[in-house]
Short mmCIF file of all heavy atoms in Angstrom, two decimals:
data_model
loop_
_atom_site.label_atom_id
_atom_site.label_comp_id
_atom_site.label_asym_id
_atom_site.label_seq_id
_atom_site.Cartn_x
_atom_site.Cartn_y
_atom_site.Cartn_z
N MET K 29 0.82 -1.19 0.00
CA MET K 29 0.00 0.00 0.00
C MET K 29 0.87 1.27 0.00
O MET K 29 0.52 2.23 -0.64
CB MET K 29 -0.92 -0.03 1.22
CG MET K 29 -1.90 1.10 1.27
SD MET K 29 -3.16 0.86 0.05
CE MET K 29 -4.26 2.15 0.47
N ARG K 30 1.99 1.21 0.72
CA ARG K 30 2.89 2.36 0.74
C ARG K 30 3.42 2.66 -0.65
O ARG K 30 3.49 3.82 -1.06
CB ARG K 30 4.06 2.11 1.68
CG ARG K 30 3.72 2.11 3.14
CD ARG K 30 4.92 1.81 3.98
NE ARG K 30 5.98 2.76 3.68
CZ ARG K 30 7.22 2.64 4.11
NH1 ARG K 30 7.56 1.63 4.86
NH2 ARG K 30 8.13 3.54 3.80
N PHE K 31 3.81 1.60 -1.36
CA PHE K 31 4.37 1.78 -2.70
C PHE K 31 3.35 2.42 -3.63
O PHE K 31 3.68 3.31 -4.42
CB PHE K 31 4.85 0.43 -3.23
CG PHE K 31 5.49 0.52 -4.59
CD1 PHE K 31 6.72 1.11 -4.75
CD2 PHE K 31 4.83 0.03 -5.71
CE1 PHE K 31 7.31 1.21 -6.00
CE2 PHE K 31 5.40 0.13 -6.95
CZ PHE K 31 6.64 0.71 -7.11
N ALA K 32 2.09 1.98 -3.53
CA ALA K 32 1.04 2.54 -4.38
C ALA K 32 0.81 4.02 -4.08
O ALA K 32 0.62 4.81 -5.01
CB ALA K 32 -0.25 1.75 -4.19
N LEU K 33 0.82 4.39 -2.81
CA LEU K 33 0.66 5.80 -2.46
C LEU K 33 1.79 6.64 -3.04
O LEU K 33 1.56 7.74 -3.56
CB LEU K 33 0.63 5.97 -0.94
CG LEU K 33 -0.65 5.62 -0.21
CD1 LEU K 33 -0.46 5.76 1.29
CD2 LEU K 33 -1.78 6.50 -0.67
N ILE K 34 2.99 6.15 -2.94
CA ILE K 34 4.14 6.89 -3.45
C ILE K 34 4.07 7.03 -4.97
O ILE K 34 4.31 8.11 -5.52
CB ILE K 34 5.45 6.22 -3.00
CG1 ILE K 34 5.60 6.32 -1.48
CG2 ILE K 34 6.66 6.84 -3.69
CD1 ILE K 34 6.74 5.52 -0.90
N VAL K 35 3.73 5.96 -5.67
CA VAL K 35 3.67 6.00 -7.13
C VAL K 35 2.56 6.95 -7.60
O VAL K 35 2.78 7.79 -8.48
CB VAL K 35 3.47 4.58 -7.71
CG1 VAL K 35 3.15 4.64 -9.19
CG2 VAL K 35 4.70 3.74 -7.46
N VAL K 36 1.37 6.84 -7.01
CA VAL K 36 0.26 7.72 -7.40
C VAL K 36 0.61 9.18 -7.07
O VAL K 36 0.34 10.08 -7.86
CB VAL K 36 -1.05 7.29 -6.71
CG1 VAL K 36 -2.14 8.31 -6.91
CG2 VAL K 36 -1.50 5.94 -7.23
N GLY K 37 1.23 9.39 -5.92
CA GLY K 37 1.65 10.74 -5.55
C GLY K 37 2.66 11.32 -6.52
O GLY K 37 2.56 12.50 -6.90
N LEU K 38 3.62 10.51 -6.94
CA LEU K 38 4.62 11.00 -7.90
C LEU K 38 3.99 11.31 -9.25
O LEU K 38 4.36 12.30 -9.91
CB LEU K 38 5.74 9.98 -8.06
CG LEU K 38 6.72 9.88 -6.89
CD1 LEU K 38 7.71 8.75 -7.12
CD2 LEU K 38 7.46 11.20 -6.72
N VAL K 39 3.05 10.48 -9.68
CA VAL K 39 2.37 10.74 -10.97
C VAL K 39 1.60 12.06 -10.89
O VAL K 39 1.66 12.88 -11.81
CB VAL K 39 1.44 9.56 -11.33
CG1 VAL K 39 0.53 9.92 -12.48
CG2 VAL K 39 2.27 8.33 -11.67
N LEU K 40 0.86 12.28 -9.80
CA LEU K 40 0.12 13.54 -9.64
C LEU K 40 1.07 14.74 -9.54
O LEU K 40 0.79 15.81 -10.09
CB LEU K 40 -0.77 13.48 -8.40
CG LEU K 40 -2.05 12.68 -8.55
CD1 LEU K 40 -2.75 12.58 -7.20
CD2 LEU K 40 -2.96 13.30 -9.57
N LEU K 41 2.17 14.55 -8.87
CA LEU K 41 3.15 15.63 -8.72
C LEU K 41 3.73 16.03 -10.07
O LEU K 41 3.79 17.22 -10.41
CB LEU K 41 4.25 15.16 -7.78
CG LEU K 41 5.20 16.18 -7.20
CD1 LEU K 41 4.45 17.16 -6.32
CD2 LEU K 41 6.28 15.48 -6.40
N VAL K 42 4.13 15.05 -10.86
CA VAL K 42 4.70 15.34 -12.18
C VAL K 42 3.65 15.94 -13.10
O VAL K 42 3.92 16.91 -13.83
CB VAL K 42 5.30 14.05 -12.79
CG1 VAL K 42 5.67 14.25 -14.25
CG2 VAL K 42 6.52 13.62 -11.99
N ALA K 43 2.42 15.42 -13.08
CA ALA K 43 1.36 15.97 -13.92
C ALA K 43 1.04 17.41 -13.51
O ALA K 43 0.79 18.26 -14.37
CB ALA K 43 0.12 15.09 -13.82
N GLY K 44 1.04 17.68 -12.22
CA GLY K 44 0.78 19.04 -11.76
C GLY K 44 1.85 20.01 -12.20
O GLY K 44 1.55 21.13 -12.64
N VAL K 45 3.10 19.61 -12.13
CA VAL K 45 4.19 20.47 -12.59
C VAL K 45 4.08 20.69 -14.09
O VAL K 45 4.28 21.81 -14.60
CB VAL K 45 5.56 19.85 -12.22
CG1 VAL K 45 6.70 20.57 -12.91
CG2 VAL K 45 5.76 19.87 -10.71
N TRP K 46 3.72 19.65 -14.82
CA TRP K 46 3.55 19.75 -16.29
C TRP K 46 2.47 20.77 -16.64
O TRP K 46 2.62 21.57 -17.55
CB TRP K 46 3.22 18.36 -16.83
CG TRP K 46 3.10 18.26 -18.31
CD1 TRP K 46 4.07 18.44 -19.23
CD2 TRP K 46 1.92 17.92 -19.03
NE1 TRP K 46 3.57 18.23 -20.49
CE2 TRP K 46 2.26 17.91 -20.39
CE3 TRP K 46 0.63 17.61 -18.66
CZ2 TRP K 46 1.34 17.61 -21.38
CZ3 TRP K 46 -0.29 17.31 -19.65
CH2 TRP K 46 0.07 17.31 -20.99
N VAL K 47 1.36 20.76 -15.90
CA VAL K 47 0.27 21.70 -16.17
C VAL K 47 0.66 23.12 -15.77
O VAL K 47 0.39 24.07 -16.50
CB VAL K 47 -1.02 21.25 -15.42
CG1 VAL K 47 -2.08 22.33 -15.45
CG2 VAL K 47 -1.56 19.97 -16.03
N VAL K 48 1.31 23.27 -14.62
CA VAL K 48 1.68 24.61 -14.15
C VAL K 48 2.64 25.30 -15.10
O VAL K 48 2.54 26.51 -15.33
CB VAL K 48 2.28 24.53 -12.72
CG1 VAL K 48 2.98 25.83 -12.34
CG2 VAL K 48 1.20 24.20 -11.71
N PHE K 49 3.55 24.56 -15.69
CA PHE K 49 4.51 25.17 -16.61
C PHE K 49 3.98 25.31 -18.03
O PHE K 49 4.72 25.61 -18.95
CB PHE K 49 5.83 24.41 -16.59
CG PHE K 49 6.62 24.68 -15.34
CD1 PHE K 49 6.81 23.67 -14.41
CD2 PHE K 49 7.13 25.93 -15.08
CE1 PHE K 49 7.52 23.91 -13.24
CE2 PHE K 49 7.85 26.19 -13.92
CZ PHE K 49 8.03 25.17 -12.99
N GLY K 50 2.67 25.12 -18.21
CA GLY K 50 2.01 25.47 -19.47
C GLY K 50 2.04 24.43 -20.56
O GLY K 50 1.76 24.75 -21.71
N HIS K 51 2.38 23.20 -20.25
CA HIS K 51 2.44 22.20 -21.30
C HIS K 51 1.15 21.39 -21.43
O HIS K 51 1.01 20.62 -22.36
CB HIS K 51 3.61 21.24 -21.04
CG HIS K 51 4.93 21.95 -21.02
ND1 HIS K 51 5.48 22.55 -22.12
CD2 HIS K 51 5.79 22.18 -20.01
CE1 HIS K 51 6.63 23.11 -21.80
NE2 HIS K 51 6.84 22.89 -20.51
N GLY K 52 0.25 21.54 -20.50
CA GLY K 52 -0.99 20.76 -20.53
C GLY K 52 -2.07 21.47 -21.32
O GLY K 52 -2.41 22.61 -21.04
N SER K 53 -2.60 20.82 -22.33
CA SER K 53 -3.67 21.41 -23.13
C SER K 53 -4.54 20.31 -23.72
O SER K 53 -4.17 19.14 -23.74
CB SER K 53 -3.11 22.29 -24.24
OG SER K 53 -2.39 21.50 -25.17
N TYR K 54 -5.71 20.71 -24.16
CA TYR K 54 -6.62 19.80 -24.82
C TYR K 54 -7.28 20.53 -25.98
O TYR K 54 -7.23 21.76 -26.06
CB TYR K 54 -7.66 19.24 -23.84
CG TYR K 54 -8.55 20.29 -23.20
CD1 TYR K 54 -9.80 20.57 -23.73
CD2 TYR K 54 -8.12 21.01 -22.10
CE1 TYR K 54 -10.61 21.52 -23.15
CE2 TYR K 54 -8.92 21.96 -21.52
CZ TYR K 54 -10.16 22.22 -22.04
OH TYR K 54 -10.96 23.17 -21.48
N GLN K 55 -7.87 19.78 -26.89
CA GLN K 55 -8.48 20.39 -28.07
C GLN K 55 -10.00 20.34 -27.99
O GLN K 55 -10.56 19.36 -27.51
CB GLN K 55 -8.04 19.67 -29.34
CG GLN K 55 -6.59 19.87 -29.68
CD GLN K 55 -6.23 19.22 -31.00
OE1 GLN K 55 -6.94 18.37 -31.50
NE2 GLN K 55 -5.12 19.63 -31.57
N THR K 56 -10.63 21.42 -28.42
CA THR K 56 -12.07 21.45 -28.56
C THR K 56 -12.41 21.81 -30.00
O THR K 56 -11.69 22.55 -30.65
CB THR K 56 -12.72 22.48 -27.62
OG1 THR K 56 -12.22 23.77 -27.93
CG2 THR K 56 -12.44 22.15 -26.16
N THR K 57 -13.50 21.28 -30.48
CA THR K 57 -13.95 21.55 -31.84
C THR K 57 -15.31 22.22 -31.80
O THR K 57 -16.23 21.72 -31.17
CB THR K 57 -14.03 20.26 -32.67
OG1 THR K 57 -12.74 19.63 -32.65
CG2 THR K 57 -14.43 20.53 -34.10
N ASP K 58 -15.42 23.36 -32.44
CA ASP K 58 -16.66 24.12 -32.50
C ASP K 58 -17.18 24.11 -33.92
O ASP K 58 -16.41 24.23 -34.88
CB ASP K 58 -16.44 25.57 -32.06
CG ASP K 58 -15.96 25.69 -30.64
OD1 ASP K 58 -16.36 24.86 -29.81
OD2 ASP K 58 -15.18 26.63 -30.37
N THR K 59 -18.49 23.98 -34.08
CA THR K 59 -19.12 24.09 -35.38
C THR K 59 -19.45 25.55 -35.62
O THR K 59 -20.23 26.15 -34.88
CB THR K 59 -20.40 23.24 -35.44
OG1 THR K 59 -20.06 21.88 -35.19
CG2 THR K 59 -21.05 23.34 -36.81
N LEU K 60 -18.84 26.13 -36.65
CA LEU K 60 -19.06 27.54 -36.95
C LEU K 60 -20.27 27.75 -37.85
O LEU K 60 -21.01 28.72 -37.69
CB LEU K 60 -17.82 28.13 -37.62
CG LEU K 60 -16.52 28.07 -36.81
CD1 LEU K 60 -15.37 28.60 -37.65
CD2 LEU K 60 -16.66 28.83 -35.53
N PHE K 61 -20.46 26.84 -38.79
CA PHE K 61 -21.55 26.98 -39.76
C PHE K 61 -21.94 25.60 -40.26
O PHE K 61 -21.07 24.77 -40.52
CB PHE K 61 -21.09 27.86 -40.93
CG PHE K 61 -22.12 28.06 -41.98
CD1 PHE K 61 -23.18 28.93 -41.78
CD2 PHE K 61 -22.04 27.40 -43.19
CE1 PHE K 61 -24.13 29.12 -42.75
CE2 PHE K 61 -22.98 27.59 -44.17
CZ PHE K 61 -24.04 28.45 -43.96
N GLN K 62 -23.24 25.36 -40.40
CA GLN K 62 -23.70 24.09 -40.95
C GLN K 62 -24.87 24.36 -41.88
O GLN K 62 -25.84 25.02 -41.52
CB GLN K 62 -24.11 23.15 -39.83
CG GLN K 62 -24.52 21.79 -40.33
CD GLN K 62 -24.75 20.81 -39.20
OE1 GLN K 62 -24.56 21.13 -38.04
NE2 GLN K 62 -25.16 19.62 -39.55
N LEU K 63 -24.77 23.80 -43.08
CA LEU K 63 -25.84 23.91 -44.06
C LEU K 63 -26.05 22.51 -44.63
O LEU K 63 -25.22 22.02 -45.40
CB LEU K 63 -25.47 24.90 -45.17
CG LEU K 63 -26.51 25.13 -46.26
CD1 LEU K 63 -27.78 25.72 -45.66
CD2 LEU K 63 -25.96 26.04 -47.33
N GLY K 64 -27.11 21.85 -44.21
CA GLY K 64 -27.34 20.47 -44.61
C GLY K 64 -26.27 19.58 -44.04
O GLY K 64 -26.04 19.55 -42.83
N SER K 65 -25.61 18.81 -44.93
CA SER K 65 -24.55 17.92 -44.45
C SER K 65 -23.17 18.59 -44.48
O SER K 65 -22.21 18.03 -43.98
CB SER K 65 -24.52 16.64 -45.29
OG SER K 65 -24.21 16.97 -46.64
N ALA K 66 -23.09 19.80 -45.05
CA ALA K 66 -21.82 20.53 -45.08
C ALA K 66 -21.63 21.25 -43.75
O ALA K 66 -22.56 21.87 -43.22
CB ALA K 66 -21.80 21.54 -46.23
N LYS K 67 -20.43 21.15 -43.22
CA LYS K 67 -20.17 21.72 -41.90
C LYS K 67 -18.81 22.40 -41.90
O LYS K 67 -17.84 21.85 -42.41
CB LYS K 67 -20.20 20.59 -40.87
CG LYS K 67 -20.19 21.05 -39.45
CD LYS K 67 -20.05 19.93 -38.43
CE LYS K 67 -20.98 18.78 -38.61
NZ LYS K 67 -20.88 17.82 -37.49
N LEU K 68 -18.73 23.58 -41.30
CA LEU K 68 -17.47 24.30 -41.13
C LEU K 68 -17.13 24.27 -39.64
O LEU K 68 -17.90 24.77 -38.82
CB LEU K 68 -17.59 25.74 -41.62
CG LEU K 68 -16.36 26.61 -41.52
CD1 LEU K 68 -15.24 26.04 -42.39
CD2 LEU K 68 -16.68 28.01 -41.93
N THR K 69 -15.99 23.67 -39.31
CA THR K 69 -15.61 23.53 -37.90
C THR K 69 -14.25 24.19 -37.66
O THR K 69 -13.47 24.38 -38.58
CB THR K 69 -15.51 22.05 -37.48
OG1 THR K 69 -14.52 21.40 -38.27
CG2 THR K 69 -16.84 21.35 -37.62
N ALA K 70 -14.01 24.52 -36.41
CA ALA K 70 -12.72 25.09 -36.00
C ALA K 70 -12.25 24.34 -34.76
O ALA K 70 -13.04 24.07 -33.86
CB ALA K 70 -12.86 26.57 -35.69
N THR K 71 -10.98 24.00 -34.72
CA THR K 71 -10.39 23.31 -33.59
C THR K 71 -9.48 24.28 -32.84
O THR K 71 -8.65 24.95 -33.44
CB THR K 71 -9.57 22.09 -34.06
OG1 THR K 71 -10.43 21.23 -34.80
CG2 THR K 71 -9.01 21.32 -32.88
N HIS K 72 -9.67 24.34 -31.51
CA HIS K 72 -8.91 25.25 -30.66
C HIS K 72 -8.16 24.44 -29.60
O HIS K 72 -8.68 23.48 -29.07
CB HIS K 72 -9.83 26.24 -29.94
CG HIS K 72 -10.72 27.01 -30.85
ND1 HIS K 72 -10.29 28.07 -31.59
CD2 HIS K 72 -12.04 26.86 -31.15
CE1 HIS K 72 -11.28 28.56 -32.29
NE2 HIS K 72 -12.37 27.83 -32.05
N ASP K 73 -6.94 24.87 -29.30
CA ASP K 73 -6.19 24.30 -28.18
C ASP K 73 -6.48 25.14 -26.95
O ASP K 73 -6.34 26.36 -26.99
CB ASP K 73 -4.69 24.29 -28.45
CG ASP K 73 -4.29 23.26 -29.47
OD1 ASP K 73 -4.99 22.24 -29.58
OD2 ASP K 73 -3.27 23.46 -30.16
N LYS K 74 -6.88 24.48 -25.87
CA LYS K 74 -7.15 25.18 -24.61
C LYS K 74 -6.23 24.60 -23.54
O LYS K 74 -6.03 23.40 -23.47
CB LYS K 74 -8.60 25.01 -24.20
CG LYS K 74 -9.57 25.71 -25.12
CD LYS K 74 -10.95 25.69 -24.55
CE LYS K 74 -11.88 26.52 -25.42
NZ LYS K 74 -13.20 26.63 -24.82
N ALA K 75 -5.70 25.47 -22.72
CA ALA K 75 -4.80 25.05 -21.64
C ALA K 75 -5.62 24.61 -20.43
O ALA K 75 -6.70 25.13 -20.17
CB ALA K 75 -3.87 26.17 -21.25
N PHE K 76 -5.09 23.64 -19.69
CA PHE K 76 -5.71 23.26 -18.43
C PHE K 76 -5.57 24.44 -17.47
O PHE K 76 -4.58 25.16 -17.50
CB PHE K 76 -5.02 22.04 -17.82
CG PHE K 76 -5.31 20.76 -18.53
CD1 PHE K 76 -4.30 20.06 -19.18
CD2 PHE K 76 -6.58 20.23 -18.56
CE1 PHE K 76 -4.56 18.88 -19.83
CE2 PHE K 76 -6.86 19.04 -19.21
CZ PHE K 76 -5.84 18.36 -19.85
N PRO K 77 -6.55 24.63 -16.59
CA PRO K 77 -6.43 25.73 -15.62
C PRO K 77 -5.24 25.52 -14.69
O PRO K 77 -4.92 24.39 -14.31
CB PRO K 77 -7.74 25.66 -14.83
CG PRO K 77 -8.63 24.74 -15.57
CD PRO K 77 -7.80 23.91 -16.46
N GLN K 78 -4.60 26.61 -14.33
CA GLN K 78 -3.41 26.51 -13.49
C GLN K 78 -3.74 25.99 -12.09
O GLN K 78 -2.93 25.30 -11.48
CB GLN K 78 -2.73 27.87 -13.39
CG GLN K 78 -1.35 27.78 -12.77
CD GLN K 78 -0.53 29.01 -13.03
OE1 GLN K 78 -1.04 30.02 -13.49
NE2 GLN K 78 0.74 28.94 -12.75
N TRP K 79 -4.94 26.27 -11.59
CA TRP K 79 -5.32 25.76 -10.27
C TRP K 79 -5.34 24.24 -10.26
O TRP K 79 -5.09 23.62 -9.22
CB TRP K 79 -6.66 26.33 -9.81
CG TRP K 79 -7.84 25.93 -10.66
CD1 TRP K 79 -8.39 26.65 -11.68
CD2 TRP K 79 -8.59 24.73 -10.56
NE1 TRP K 79 -9.44 25.96 -12.22
CE2 TRP K 79 -9.60 24.77 -11.55
CE3 TRP K 79 -8.53 23.62 -9.73
CZ2 TRP K 79 -10.51 23.75 -11.74
CZ3 TRP K 79 -9.45 22.60 -9.92
CH2 TRP K 79 -10.43 22.67 -10.92
N LEU K 80 -5.63 23.63 -11.40
CA LEU K 80 -5.63 22.17 -11.48
C LEU K 80 -4.21 21.62 -11.28
O LEU K 80 -4.02 20.62 -10.60
CB LEU K 80 -6.19 21.74 -12.84
CG LEU K 80 -6.47 20.27 -13.05
CD1 LEU K 80 -7.53 19.79 -12.08
CD2 LEU K 80 -6.92 20.05 -14.47
N GLY K 81 -3.22 22.29 -11.86
CA GLY K 81 -1.84 21.88 -11.67
C GLY K 81 -1.36 22.06 -10.24
O GLY K 81 -0.68 21.20 -9.68
N ILE K 82 -1.75 23.18 -9.64
CA ILE K 82 -1.35 23.43 -8.25
C ILE K 82 -1.98 22.41 -7.32
O ILE K 82 -1.33 21.90 -6.40
CB ILE K 82 -1.71 24.87 -7.85
CG1 ILE K 82 -0.88 25.86 -8.67
CG2 ILE K 82 -1.53 25.11 -6.36
CD1 ILE K 82 -1.32 27.30 -8.56
N THR K 83 -3.24 22.06 -7.57
CA THR K 83 -3.91 21.04 -6.77
C THR K 83 -3.23 19.68 -6.95
O THR K 83 -3.05 18.95 -5.97
CB THR K 83 -5.39 20.95 -7.18
OG1 THR K 83 -6.00 22.23 -7.02
CG2 THR K 83 -6.13 19.92 -6.33
N GLY K 84 -2.84 19.35 -8.16
CA GLY K 84 -2.14 18.10 -8.41
C GLY K 84 -0.81 18.03 -7.67
O GLY K 84 -0.44 16.98 -7.13
N ILE K 85 -0.10 19.14 -7.63
CA ILE K 85 1.17 19.19 -6.91
C ILE K 85 0.93 18.97 -5.42
O ILE K 85 1.63 18.19 -4.77
CB ILE K 85 1.90 20.52 -7.17
CG1 ILE K 85 2.37 20.59 -8.62
CG2 ILE K 85 3.08 20.69 -6.23
CD1 ILE K 85 2.89 21.94 -9.04
N ALA K 86 -0.06 19.67 -4.86
CA ALA K 86 -0.33 19.57 -3.43
C ALA K 86 -0.79 18.17 -3.03
O ALA K 86 -0.27 17.58 -2.06
CB ALA K 86 -1.38 20.61 -3.02
N VAL K 87 -1.73 17.61 -3.77
CA VAL K 87 -2.24 16.28 -3.45
C VAL K 87 -1.14 15.23 -3.66
O VAL K 87 -0.98 14.31 -2.86
CB VAL K 87 -3.50 15.96 -4.28
CG1 VAL K 87 -3.92 14.51 -4.11
CG2 VAL K 87 -4.64 16.88 -3.88
N GLY K 88 -0.39 15.37 -4.73
CA GLY K 88 0.71 14.44 -4.99
C GLY K 88 1.76 14.46 -3.90
O GLY K 88 2.24 13.42 -3.46
N ALA K 89 2.11 15.66 -3.44
CA ALA K 89 3.10 15.77 -2.36
C ALA K 89 2.58 15.15 -1.07
O ALA K 89 3.32 14.46 -0.36
CB ALA K 89 3.45 17.23 -2.13
N LEU K 90 1.30 15.36 -0.77
CA LEU K 90 0.72 14.75 0.43
C LEU K 90 0.71 13.23 0.34
O LEU K 90 0.99 12.53 1.34
CB LEU K 90 -0.70 15.28 0.66
CG LEU K 90 -0.81 16.71 1.15
CD1 LEU K 90 -2.27 17.14 1.18
CD2 LEU K 90 -0.17 16.85 2.52
N LEU K 91 0.40 12.69 -0.83
CA LEU K 91 0.39 11.23 -0.99
C LEU K 91 1.79 10.65 -0.86
O LEU K 91 1.98 9.59 -0.26
CB LEU K 91 -0.24 10.84 -2.33
CG LEU K 91 -1.74 11.00 -2.42
CD1 LEU K 91 -2.21 10.68 -3.84
CD2 LEU K 91 -2.46 10.12 -1.42
N VAL K 92 2.78 11.32 -1.46
CA VAL K 92 4.15 10.83 -1.36
C VAL K 92 4.61 10.86 0.10
O VAL K 92 5.17 9.90 0.61
CB VAL K 92 5.10 11.66 -2.25
CG1 VAL K 92 6.55 11.36 -1.94
CG2 VAL K 92 4.82 11.38 -3.71
N LEU K 93 4.35 11.97 0.79
CA LEU K 93 4.74 12.06 2.20
C LEU K 93 3.99 11.04 3.04
O LEU K 93 4.57 10.42 3.95
CB LEU K 93 4.47 13.46 2.73
CG LEU K 93 5.46 14.54 2.28
CD1 LEU K 93 5.00 15.90 2.76
CD2 LEU K 93 6.84 14.22 2.77
N GLY K 94 2.70 10.84 2.74
CA GLY K 94 1.93 9.83 3.48
C GLY K 94 2.47 8.43 3.25
O GLY K 94 2.51 7.61 4.17
N GLY K 95 2.90 8.15 2.03
CA GLY K 95 3.47 6.84 1.73
C GLY K 95 4.81 6.63 2.39
O GLY K 95 5.13 5.52 2.83
N ILE K 96 5.60 7.67 2.46
CA ILE K 96 6.93 7.55 3.08
C ILE K 96 6.82 7.44 4.61
O ILE K 96 7.51 6.64 5.24
CB ILE K 96 7.82 8.75 2.67
CG1 ILE K 96 8.16 8.66 1.19
CG2 ILE K 96 9.08 8.82 3.51
CD1 ILE K 96 8.85 9.89 0.64
N LEU K 97 5.94 8.24 5.19
CA LEU K 97 5.86 8.28 6.65
C LEU K 97 4.94 7.22 7.26
O LEU K 97 4.92 7.06 8.47
CB LEU K 97 5.35 9.67 7.08
CG LEU K 97 6.26 10.85 6.70
CD1 LEU K 97 5.61 12.16 7.10
CD2 LEU K 97 7.62 10.69 7.34
N ARG K 98 4.19 6.51 6.42
CA ARG K 98 3.27 5.51 6.92
C ARG K 98 4.03 4.30 7.48
O ARG K 98 4.98 3.80 6.87
CB ARG K 98 2.35 5.05 5.79
CG ARG K 98 1.31 4.09 6.26
CD ARG K 98 0.34 3.80 5.15
NE ARG K 98 -0.63 2.84 5.67
CZ ARG K 98 -1.76 2.60 5.11
NH1 ARG K 98 -2.08 3.21 4.00
NH2 ARG K 98 -2.59 1.73 5.63
N LYS K 99 3.58 3.81 8.60
CA LYS K 99 4.22 2.65 9.21
C LYS K 99 3.50 1.40 8.73
O LYS K 99 2.29 1.36 8.64
CB LYS K 99 4.15 2.73 10.73
CG LYS K 99 4.91 3.88 11.27
CD LYS K 99 4.87 3.90 12.75
CE LYS K 99 5.60 5.16 13.20
NZ LYS K 99 5.97 5.16 14.56
N GLY K 100 4.24 0.39 8.47
CA GLY K 100 3.55 -0.83 8.11
C GLY K 100 4.34 -1.63 7.18
O GLY K 100 4.21 -2.61 6.69
#
């Protein structure tokens, strides 16, 4: 159980740092115009919110510390 806490914490920690430094993004597609079966779409890259990265860092650090300090 300790090993799992440490691994999950490290994954969250790294993902949080990745998002905070601006590398995390996802794509959304919007339909601009549609006439019958013809469709005009636009794809936009949107960044993950920075609070999500900070939360990932905090939760990841707590899990890693919990895994290290846990007795058992």
Side-chain angles (χ1 to χ4, degrees):
M29 185 72 172
R30 289 178 56 190
F31 182 71
L33 283 176
I34 294 171
V35 170
V36 170
L38 286 175
V39 168
L40 283 173
L41 195 64
V42 169
V45 169
W46 183 65
V47 169
V48 166
F49 286 112
H51 300 294
S53 65
Y54 61 96
Q55 291 184 342
T56 60
T57 303
D58 298 327
T59 300
L60 301 176
F61 179 75
Q62 183 172 358
L63 181 62
S65 63
K67 190 186 311 186
L68 180 63
T69 61
T71 302
H72 305 282
D73 288 332
K74 293 189 174 185
F76 288 115
Q78 192 163 12
W79 64 264
L80 189 63
I82 294 169
T83 303
I85 292 171
V87 172
L90 287 174
L91 287 176
V92 168
L93 285 174
I96 291 171
L97 297 177
R98 184 174 179 163
K99 296 182 183 196

